[in-house]
Amino acid sequence: MSSALEELQKDLEEVKVLLEKATRKRVRDALTAEKSKIEIEMKNKMQQKSQRKAELTENEKPAAVVAPITTGYTVKISNYGWDQSDKFVKIYITLPGVHQVLAESVQVNFTERSFDLLVKNLNGKSYSMIVNNLLKPISVEGSSKKVKTDTVLILCRKKAENTRWDYLTQVEKECKEKEKPSYDTETDPSEGLMNVLKKVYEDGDDDMKRTINKAWVESREKQAKGDTDF
């Protein structure tokens, strides 16, 4: 049985074929919007798949953390991994050797909507990370840090427990929402594609209808030959 991601890939290929054939602006706009919707849906599916693989136990390190960017004597940490539980939002920062520095060299300050991390004297450098405009308020008193092997774990205690954070910061949320097309994201992507194609067909002239019919047949033949590639 094909997975949802494979079905989305097939839908995307079909839209691309139709987009190559379309000449009318209204039709191209509709197909371009549908293409963007499918691509975003595929990206979300892949992110969800990655998050499931990266679910961590207390003593495990995150998989999706890369080395920080060095800027002179101070290293600005711009990459991290994060997940959440009912009570905490957990941020993981990989810093090789951080477990060997003095405890007072690892400092974290919290406010209701931000935190900043400063690690001093790690391999002759300082490391800093500042995250402002958290998506939701946190409890300053209930938040803390843990230093593990090569990892700093920051625990932000949710003020409203049992609430899900879809993003870490408000800025990230706003950026993602701007990318979303004006379609109902709850509907099945394949069903949405069929509705768009049906509307394009109904609104198109005879030439457009012939183009869609031809592209549809060519797309199906192409998929039949290339199914094993997915």
Side-chain angles (χ1 to χ4, degrees):
M1 178 181 287
S2 299
S3 68
L5 194 57
E6 289 172 339
E7 291 301 317
L8 286 169
Q9 180 66 42
K10 292 178 181 179
D11 288 346
L12 181 60
E13 291 299 326
E14 197 153 289
V15 169
K16 287 180 179 179
V17 171
L18 294 172
L19 194 54
E20 290 176 359
K21 302 290 183 180
T23 57
R24 296 176 64 83
K25 182 178 185 302
R26 182 175 179 182
V27 172
R28 289 185 61 85
D29 288 346
L31 290 171
T32 299
E34 183 64 20
K35 177 174 173 285
S36 297
K37 176 187 174 185
I38 294 173
E39 289 172 340
I40 290 173
E41 183 70 16
M42 289 178 66
K43 182 178 179 182
N44 291 338
K45 292 286 185 186
M46 287 186 287
Q47 287 178 342
Q48 290 170 5
K49 186 176 180 180
S50 296
Q51 287 176 355
R52 285 195 294 269
K53 289 182 179 179
E55 286 182 356
L56 308 168
T57 62
E58 180 95 352
N59 295 319
E60 288 178 328
K61 294 190 295 184
V65 178
V66 299
I69 300 171
T70 302
T71 55
Y73 292 103
T74 299
V75 177
K76 180 181 178 182
I77 303 168
S78 59
N79 293 283
Y80 51 86
W82 73 281
D83 61 10
Q84 61 187 301
S85 63
D86 290 341
K87 295 182 179 180
F88 290 95
V89 173
K90 308 171 188 178
I91 299 92
Y92 302 87
I93 301 100
T94 295
L95 291 173
V98 69
H99 57 289
Q100 297 175 338
V101 303
L102 297 174
E104 56 266 27
S105 295
V106 182
Q107 304 170 2
V108 182
N109 295 311
F110 298 94
T111 72
E112 191 175 68
R113 295 296 286 270
S114 72
F115 69 84
D116 63 85
L117 166 69
L118 178 62
V119 179
K120 299 179 180 178
N121 303 319
L122 176 57
N123 299 323
K125 299 184 181 71
S126 294
Y127 294 77
S128 67
M129 175 180 178
I130 300 174
V131 176
N132 294 312
N133 300 312
L134 291 170
L135 184 66
K136 298 178 182 180
I138 62 173
S139 167
V140 175
E141 298 77 13
S143 299
S144 62
K145 72 173 188 306
K146 290 183 180 180
V147 179
K148 300 178 178 295
T149 303
D150 297 332
T151 303
V152 177
L153 170 60
I154 297 176
L155 298 164
C156 296
R157 180 69 178 256
K158 297 177 179 178
K159 267 201 168 181
E161 296 182 3
N162 300 309
T163 57
R164 176 175 176 77
W165 289 32
D166 293 323
Y167 309 94
L168 183 61
T169 67
Q170 188 67 31
V171 173
E172 182 184 353
K173 176 186 176 183
E174 292 173 358
C175 289
K176 293 292 185 182
E177 287 183 345
K178 286 180 182 178
E179 297 175 1
K180 291 181 180 178
S182 56
Y183 286 89
D184 181 4
T185 56
E186 296 300 319
T187 59
D188 176 63
S190 297
E191 181 181 341
L193 172 59
M194 292 301 297
N195 289 337
V196 169
L197 295 178
K198 182 179 178 182
K199 180 171 178 56
V200 169
Y201 187 87
E202 290 175 349
D203 292 343
D205 55 20
D206 291 340
D207 288 338
M208 189 63 227
K209 289 178 180 179
R210 282 194 294 270
T211 298
I212 290 178
N213 286 332
K214 182 181 179 192
W216 188 275
V217 172
E218 291 176 353
S219 174
R220 288 303 180 192
E221 291 176 349
K222 181 179 178 182
Q223 287 182 15
K225 294 178 182 178
D227 274 346
T228 56
D229 295 335
F230 297 106

